Coordinates of all heavy atoms in Angstrom, one line a residue:
D1 N 25.6 0.0 11.8 CA 24.6 0.6 11.0 C 24.7 2.2 11.1 O 24.9 2.7 12.2 CB 23.2 0.2 11.3 CG 22.9 -1.2 10.9 OD1 23.6 -1.8 10.2 OD2 21.9 -1.7 11.5
V2 N 24.6 2.9 9.9 CA 24.7 4.3 10.0 C 23.3 4.9 10.2 O 22.3 4.3 9.9 CB 25.4 4.9 8.7 CG1 26.8 4.4 8.6 CG2 24.6 4.5 7.5
S3 N 23.2 6.1 10.8 CA 21.9 6.6 11.2 C 21.1 6.9 9.9 O 19.9 6.8 9.9 CB 22.1 7.9 12.0 OG 22.9 8.9 11.3
A4 N 21.8 7.4 8.8 CA 21.1 7.7 7.6 C 20.3 6.5 7.1 O 19.2 6.6 6.5 CB 22.0 8.2 6.5
A5 N 21.0 5.3 7.1 CA 20.3 4.1 6.7 C 19.0 3.8 7.4 O 18.0 3.4 7.0 CB 21.2 2.9 6.7
R6 N 19.0 4.0 8.8 CA 17.9 3.7 9.6 C 16.8 4.7 9.4 O 15.6 4.4 9.4 CB 18.3 3.8 11.0 CG 19.3 2.6 11.4 CD 19.6 2.6 12.8 NE 20.5 1.5 13.1 CZ 21.1 1.2 14.2 NH1 20.8 2.1 15.2 NH2 21.9 0.2 14.4
L7 N 17.2 5.9 9.1 CA 16.1 7.0 8.7 C 15.5 6.6 7.4 O 14.3 6.8 7.2 CB 16.8 8.4 8.7 CG 17.3 9.0 10.0 CD1 17.9 10.4 9.7 CD2 16.0 9.2 10.9
G8 N 16.4 6.0 6.5 CA 15.7 5.6 5.3 C 14.8 4.5 5.4 O 13.7 4.4 4.7
Q9 N 15.0 3.6 6.3 CA 14.1 2.5 6.7 C 12.8 3.0 7.2 O 11.8 2.5 6.8 CB 14.8 1.5 7.7 CG 15.9 0.7 7.2 CD 16.4 -0.3 8.2 OE1 16.2 0.0 9.4 NE2 17.1 -1.2 7.9
I10 N 12.8 3.9 8.0 CA 11.6 4.5 8.5 C 10.9 5.2 7.5 O 9.6 5.1 7.5 CB 11.9 5.5 9.7 CG1 12.4 4.7 10.9 CG2 10.8 6.3 10.1 CD1 12.8 5.5 12.1
D11 N 11.6 5.9 6.6 CA 10.9 6.5 5.5 C 10.0 5.5 4.6 O 8.9 5.7 4.3 CB 11.8 7.3 4.6 CG 11.2 8.1 3.5 OD1 10.4 8.9 3.7 OD2 11.6 7.7 2.3
I12 N 10.8 4.4 4.3 CA 10.1 3.4 3.5 C 9.0 2.8 4.2 O 7.9 2.6 3.7 CB 11.2 2.3 3.1 CG1 12.2 2.9 2.2 CG2 10.4 1.1 2.5 CD1 13.4 2.0 1.9
A13 N 9.2 2.4 5.5 CA 8.1 1.8 6.3 C 6.9 2.7 6.4 O 5.8 2.2 6.3 CB 8.7 1.4 7.6
A14 N 7.2 4.0 6.7 CA 6.0 4.9 6.9 C 5.2 5.0 5.7 O 4.0 5.0 5.7 CB 6.6 6.2 7.3
R15 N 5.9 5.1 4.5 CA 5.1 5.2 3.3 C 4.3 4.0 3.0 O 3.1 4.1 2.5 CB 6.1 5.4 2.1 CG 5.4 5.6 0.7 CD 6.5 5.9 -0.3 NE 7.4 4.9 -0.6 CZ 8.7 5.0 -0.4 NH1 9.2 6.1 0.2 NH2 9.5 4.0 -0.6
E16 N 4.8 2.8 3.3 CA 4.1 1.5 3.1 C 2.9 1.4 4.0 O 1.8 1.1 3.6 CB 5.0 0.4 3.2 CG 6.0 0.2 2.0 CD 5.3 0.1 0.6 OE1 4.3 -0.6 0.6 OE2 5.7 0.8 -0.3
W17 N 3.1 1.6 5.3 CA 2.0 1.5 6.2 C 0.9 2.6 6.0 O -0.3 2.2 6.1 CB 2.6 1.7 7.7 CG 3.2 0.4 8.2 CD1 4.6 0.3 8.4 CD2 2.6 -0.9 8.4 NE1 4.8 -1.0 8.8 CE2 3.6 -1.7 8.9 CE3 1.3 -1.2 8.4 CZ2 3.4 -3.0 9.3 CZ3 1.1 -2.6 8.8 CH2 2.1 -3.4 9.2
I18 N 1.3 3.8 5.7 CA 0.3 4.8 5.4 C -0.5 4.4 4.0 O -1.7 4.6 4.0 CB 0.9 6.2 5.1 CG1 1.5 6.7 6.5 CG2 0.0 7.2 4.5 CD1 2.3 7.9 6.4
G19 N 0.3 3.9 3.1 CA -0.4 3.4 1.9 C -1.3 2.2 2.1 O -2.4 2.2 1.5
L20 N -1.0 1.3 3.0 CA -1.9 0.2 3.2 C -3.2 0.7 3.9 O -4.2 0.3 3.6 CB -1.2 -0.7 4.2 CG -0.1 -1.7 3.6 CD1 0.7 -2.4 4.6 CD2 -0.8 -2.7 2.7
V21 N -3.1 1.6 4.8 CA -4.3 2.2 5.6 C -5.1 2.9 4.5 O -6.3 2.8 4.5 CB -3.8 3.0 6.8 CG1 -5.0 3.8 7.3 CG2 -3.1 2.2 7.8
A22 N -4.4 3.8 3.8 CA -5.1 4.7 2.8 C -6.0 3.8 1.8 O -7.1 4.1 1.5 CB -4.3 5.6 2.1
Y23 N -5.3 2.8 1.2 CA -5.9 1.9 0.2 C -7.0 1.2 0.9 O -8.1 0.9 0.2 CB -4.9 1.0 -0.4 CG -4.1 1.7 -1.6 CD1 -2.8 1.4 -1.8 CD2 -4.7 2.7 -2.4 CE1 -2.1 2.0 -2.8 CE2 -4.0 3.3 -3.4 CZ -2.7 3.0 -3.6 OH -1.9 3.6 -4.6
R24 N -6.9 0.7 2.1 CA -7.9 -0.1 2.8 C -9.1 0.8 2.9 O -10.3 0.4 2.7 CB -7.4 -0.6 4.1 CG -8.5 -1.5 4.8 CD -8.8 -2.7 4.0 NE -9.9 -3.4 4.5 CZ -11.2 -3.3 4.2 NH1 -11.5 -2.4 3.2 NH2 -12.2 -4.0 4.7
L25 N -9.0 2.0 3.4 CA -10.0 2.9 3.8 C -10.7 3.4 2.4 O -12.0 3.6 2.3 CB -9.5 4.2 4.4 CG -9.0 4.0 5.8 CD1 -8.4 5.3 6.4 CD2 -10.2 3.5 6.8
A26 N -10.0 3.5 1.3 CA -10.5 3.8 0.0 C -11.3 2.6 -0.7 O -11.8 2.8 -1.7 CB -9.5 4.3 -0.9
G27 N -11.1 1.4 -0.1 CA -11.7 0.2 -0.7 C -10.9 -0.3 -1.8 O -11.4 -1.2 -2.6
R28 N -9.7 0.0 -1.9 CA -8.8 -0.5 -3.1 C -8.2 -1.8 -2.7 O -7.5 -2.4 -3.6 CB -7.8 0.5 -3.5 CG -8.4 1.7 -4.1 CD -7.4 2.7 -4.6 NE -8.0 3.7 -5.4 CZ -7.3 4.8 -5.9 NH1 -6.1 4.9 -5.8 NH2 -7.9 5.7 -6.7
T29 N -8.2 -2.2 -1.4 CA -7.8 -3.5 -1.0 C -8.8 -4.1 -0.1 O -9.5 -3.4 0.6 CB -6.4 -3.5 -0.3 OG1 -6.5 -2.6 0.9 CG2 -5.3 -3.0 -1.2
R30 N -8.8 -5.4 0.1 CA -9.7 -6.1 0.9 C -9.3 -6.3 2.4 O -10.0 -6.5 3.3 CB -10.1 -7.5 0.3 CG -10.7 -7.4 -1.1 CD -11.0 -8.8 -1.6 NE -11.6 -8.7 -2.9 CZ -11.2 -9.5 -3.9 NH1 -10.4 -10.5 -3.7 NH2 -11.8 -9.4 -5.1
E31 N -7.9 -6.3 2.5 CA -7.4 -6.5 3.9 C -6.4 -5.3 4.2 O -5.8 -4.8 3.2 CB -6.6 -7.8 3.9 CG -7.4 -9.0 3.5 CD -7.2 -9.3 2.0 OE1 -6.2 -9.0 1.4 OE2 -8.2 -9.7 1.3
L32 N -6.3 -5.0 5.5 CA -5.3 -4.1 5.8 C -3.9 -4.5 5.5 O -3.0 -3.7 5.0 CB -5.4 -3.8 7.3 CG -4.3 -2.7 7.9 CD1 -4.5 -1.4 7.3 CD2 -4.5 -2.6 9.4
L33 N -3.6 -5.8 5.8 CA -2.3 -6.3 5.6 C -2.4 -7.6 4.7 O -2.4 -8.7 5.3 CB -1.5 -6.6 6.8 CG 0.0 -7.0 6.7 CD1 0.8 -6.0 6.0 CD2 0.6 -7.3 8.0
P34 N -2.5 -7.5 3.4 CA -2.7 -8.8 2.6 C -1.5 -9.7 2.9 O -0.4 -9.4 3.0 CB -2.8 -8.2 1.2 CG -3.1 -6.9 1.3 CD -2.6 -6.4 2.6
G35 N -1.9 -11.1 2.8 CA -1.0 -12.1 3.0 C -1.1 -13.2 2.0 O -2.1 -13.2 1.2
P36 N -0.4 -14.3 2.1 CA -0.5 -15.4 1.2 C -1.8 -16.1 1.3 O -2.4 -16.3 2.4 CB 0.6 -16.3 1.7 CG 1.6 -15.5 2.4 CD 0.8 -14.4 3.0

């Protein structure tokens, strides 16, 4: 694995986790981590 790819993974993951927290705090989702 190249370092740039791993940095890209962290960028994607950070955006998703921050989005999950932000939408939960804003009341736009009912769960922090929605599942099936």
Side-chain angles (χ1 to χ4, degrees):
D1 291 342
V2 296
S3 59
R6 292 183 182 172
L7 290 174
Q9 288 180 342
I10 290 179
D11 178 64
I12 293 172
R15 183 173 64 249
E16 287 304 317
W17 282 110
I18 292 172
L20 284 165
V21 172
Y23 279 146
R24 181 66 187 95
L25 293 175
R28 292 183 172 181
T29 58
R30 297 179 185 140
E31 310 87 33
L32 177 61
L33 185 61

